[in-house]
Amino acid sequence: MYLFSFDDCITVYCCTLIICSRIQQPSKVLHFFNSHPESDIERIRQVFVTCGAVEPLNIKMFEGKSNEYQKGERSRTGLAEFPDKAKAIEALILCNHTPMQNPNGRFPYTFKLCFSNSMHAQ
């Protein structure tokens, strides 16, 4: 005998997704994550240009857990600032889920983007 119906499970699953997802308004600053751990500002800039997006005005790389990048980090994250909201939206559409080569592993890194609530990438 089942304690929950299929509809109950779907409702719980959807509510969990809504609670876990932080919906951000579109902005001119994008948060990038899951980039190759050895990525630098130039490599991130190259990802956007290669995808056909406008080159970001500013890119800020977040430091690792020890306040500086270390070889043991699993991926890199940061912010990319664009001239306006429209260019950021276009960059998100063109570049989100771009594969980044992983010479040390079987699978590529998947470069991911979302809107940021930061005003600038500095």
Side-chain angles (χ1 to χ4, degrees), residues 5-6 12 25 32-34 38 41-42 45 51 54 59 70 73 76 81 87-88 92 101-102 108 110 119 121-122:
S5 71
F6 179 74
V12 170
Q25 295 291 324
F32 63 85
F33 56 101
N34 200 43
E38 295 178 9
I41 290 174
E42 188 54 40
R45 190 179 315 277
C51 291
V54 170
I59 296 174
Q70 292 185 351
E73 298 290 334
R76 297 292 307 262
E81 181 178 356
K87 297 296 182 194
L92 186 140
Q101 289 185 348
N102 180 8
T110 303
M119 299 298 280
Q122 296 177 3

Side-chain angles (χ1 to χ4, degrees), residues 12-66:
V12 170
Y13 177 74
C14 290
C15 289
T16 303
L17 286 178
I18 291 169
I19 291 168
C20 292
S21 299
R22 293 187 181 137
I23 299 171
Q24 294 289 338
Q25 295 291 324
S27 68
K28 68 179 189 170
V29 179
L30 297 178
H31 172 78
F32 63 85
F33 56 101
N34 200 43
S35 68
H36 190 281
E38 295 178 9
S39 296
D40 58 4
I41 290 174
E42 188 54 40
R43 176 66 181 118
I44 299 301
R45 190 179 315 277
Q46 185 181 25
V47 169
F48 286 109
V49 172
T50 302
C51 291
V54 170
E55 185 175 315
L57 298 175
N58 296 312
I59 296 174
K60 176 177 175 51
M61 303 293 285
F62 293 150
E63 303 299 334
K65 294 176 183 168
S66 63

